[in-house]
Amino acid sequence: MNQTKTHKVPKLTKPIRLQEYGVNIFDSIQTKSALKKALKKNYITVNNLLASTATYIHGGETICLTIKESNKHKTKLVLKLDVLYEDDYLAIIRKPAGILVSGNSFKTVTNALEQNLKPSNLKDSTLPQPVHRLDYPTTGLLLIGKTNSSIRALNKLFENKEIKKTYYAITIGKMQKYGEIASLIDNKPSLSLYEVKASVDSKRFSILNLVKLEPKTGRKHQLRKHMLSIGHPILGDKNYAIDNLILNGKGLYLHAYSLSFTHPFTNKYIFIEDKLPKRFNKIFSNII
């Protein structure tokens, strides 16, 4: 049986794209990516016509969201996740390497959240949802919203750059101690800061560095692209690499190490650090 929810658009001062207007008008669509997925699956109509990302809203329209429920029995994903922080509003988990955060695949972090997190006791509780991305091969801290209002609030914190993220990577080649990398990614400005914490000699790669990275913007594959752009790709990266410096079979040496922000509902300062994966410590021991 399909479930349909409707929204009546009020008067607008000027037309706006549905992909901008449609975020948050339905409880199940809290982000632009969720809206785009719903549009792609033909779940949304405007005045009984199928909508797309090109649809404009002028005011007075009726927007319908129809979730088409599958008759197939859903297989439950069994995947144990480490939970480093949790309350009724949000959680922070450790993302393993080699798994998508979300998407159409069965094995995703999103599909495993419900079995790993406690249900929220708040009125607007919803299925837990990641509020940012980590690449498929990247490990580390991932922030999760557990209520509709917390998902909106956390997205706002990211938009306002009020959530600080730090990463650690192992990079190739002799580097300056500190640096700033600014460039356009997908025609949008991007900025990352780095600090070399330690370096070791390597027979194959000459020098390997343990580097602390602070992305000031959130572009897709930003850190990986930035490190390659200055000639120091991240160890194990096959997509953003120098041909003769590709390490196979060990994974990507990029780890989301810490998250810090002011909790949007309790006003508590949250600072969470995660330990480096064992493969990092095999190259750099007793550094962090």
Side-chain angles (χ1 to χ4, degrees), residues 72-83:
K72 296 180 181 179
H73 176 69
K74 285 189 175 181
T75 304
K76 192 172 184 179
L77 173 65
V78 178
L79 177 66
K80 177 71 170 65
L81 297 173
D82 295 325
V83 181

Side-chain angles (χ1 to χ4, degrees), residues 82 84 94 140 255-257 273-278 281 288:
D82 295 325
L84 305 186
R94 177 184 292 126
H255 182 70
Y257 177 74
E273 289 180 327
D274 189 20
K275 61 185 179 183
L276 292 180
K278 291 180 180 178
N281 291 320
I288 298 178

Side-chain angles (χ1 to χ4, degrees), residues 25 50 55 65 74-75 92 95 105 109 114 131 236 254 287:
I25 64 172
L50 279 178
T55 299
L65 171 68
K74 285 189 175 181
T75 304
I92 299 171
K95 176 196 170 295
S105 299
V109 171
E114 189 176 10
V131 293
L254 178 62
I287 301 296

Side-chain angles (χ1 to χ4, degrees), residues 172 201-207 243-248:
I172 299 170
D201 293 330
S202 167
K203 287 183 179 179
R204 180 176 174 188
F205 300 105
S206 178
I207 292 176
D243 286 344
N244 62 335
L245 297 177
I246 297 176
L247 178 68
N248 291 310

Side-chain angles (χ1 to χ4, degrees), residues 6-261:
T6 61
H7 169 82
K8 185 71 173 179
V9 181
K11 290 183 179 180
L12 301 176
T13 56
K14 61 180 181 179
I16 183 174
R17 282 185 182 272
L18 177 59
Q19 65 179 7
E20 302 294 334
Y21 178 83
V23 177
N24 295 330
I25 64 172
F26 299 111
D27 288 345
S28 58
I29 300 180
Q30 301 290 327
T31 64
K32 286 185 179 180
S33 61
L35 177 61
K36 287 180 180 179
K37 287 178 186 176
L39 289 167
K40 188 176 181 180
K41 291 179 179 179
N42 295 330
Y43 286 175
I44 298 178
T45 61
V46 176
N47 289 344
N48 296 319
L49 297 175
L50 279 178
S52 72
T53 55
T55 299
Y56 270 88
I57 301 300
H58 298 267
E61 296 93 340
T62 298
I63 302 174
C64 292
L65 171 68
T66 302
I67 304 298
K68 300 173 183 177
E69 295 184 352
S70 173
N71 292 325
K72 296 180 181 179
H73 176 69
K74 285 189 175 181
T75 304
K76 192 172 184 179
L77 173 65
V78 178
L79 177 66
K80 177 71 170 65
L81 297 173
D82 295 325
V83 181
L84 305 186
Y85 177 87
E86 184 176 13
D87 60 26
D88 270 339
Y89 299 93
L90 56 89
I92 299 171
I93 63 101
R94 177 184 292 126
K95 176 196 170 295
I99 183 171
L100 293 169
V101 169
S102 59
N104 295 323
S105 299
F106 172 64
K107 187 180 179 181
T108 64
V109 171
T110 299
N111 287 342
L113 288 175
E114 189 176 10
Q115 63 180 282
N116 284 279
L117 299 179
K118 301 171 185 174
S120 172
N121 293 312
L122 300 172
K123 289 182 179 179
D124 66 337
S125 65
T126 187
L127 289 176
Q129 179 179 314
V131 293
H132 62 112
R133 296 187 305 264
L134 289 177
D135 293 343
Y136 175 83
T138 303
T139 57
L141 300 180
L142 187 67
L143 182 56
I144 311 298
K146 294 175 60 175
T147 69
N148 290 317
S149 55
S150 64
I151 291 169
R152 287 193 295 269
L154 293 171
N155 278 318
K156 196 68 177 176
L157 289 181
F158 271 110
E159 287 178 17
N160 295 337
K161 297 181 173 56
E162 295 177 44
I163 296 179
K164 182 180 178 181
K165 297 189 291 181
T166 64
Y167 292 72
Y168 273 88
I170 294 180
T171 65
I172 299 170
K174 185 174 177 60
M175 298 177 64
Q176 294 181 350
K177 176 73 173 174
Y178 303 96
E180 179 179 297
I181 309 167
S183 69
L184 289 178
I185 295 178
D186 298 327
N187 293 318
K188 297 177 181 178
S190 63
L191 177 65
S192 301
L193 307 180
Y194 74 81
E195 178 186 357
V196 177
K197 305 296 285 188
S199 299
V200 296
D201 293 330
S202 167
K203 287 183 179 179
R204 180 176 174 188
F205 300 105
S206 178
I207 292 176
L208 293 174
N209 313 283
L210 181 65
V211 181
K212 182 181 179 182
L213 295 162
E214 292 187 24
K216 297 301 182 181
T217 52
R219 310 303 176 208
K220 187 176 182 181
H221 299 168
Q222 176 175 312
L223 295 175
R224 299 164 67 184
K225 289 179 177 178
H226 274 176
M227 298 317 297
L228 177 62
S229 73
I230 61 171
H232 301 290
I234 296 174
L235 188 66
D237 201 332
K238 297 178 182 179
N239 295 326
Y240 303 99
I242 296 172
D243 286 344
N244 62 335
L245 297 177
I246 297 176
L247 178 68
N248 291 310
K250 300 293 184 179
L252 178 69
Y253 284 75
L254 178 62
H255 182 70
Y257 177 74
S258 72
L259 279 171
S260 58
F261 59 96

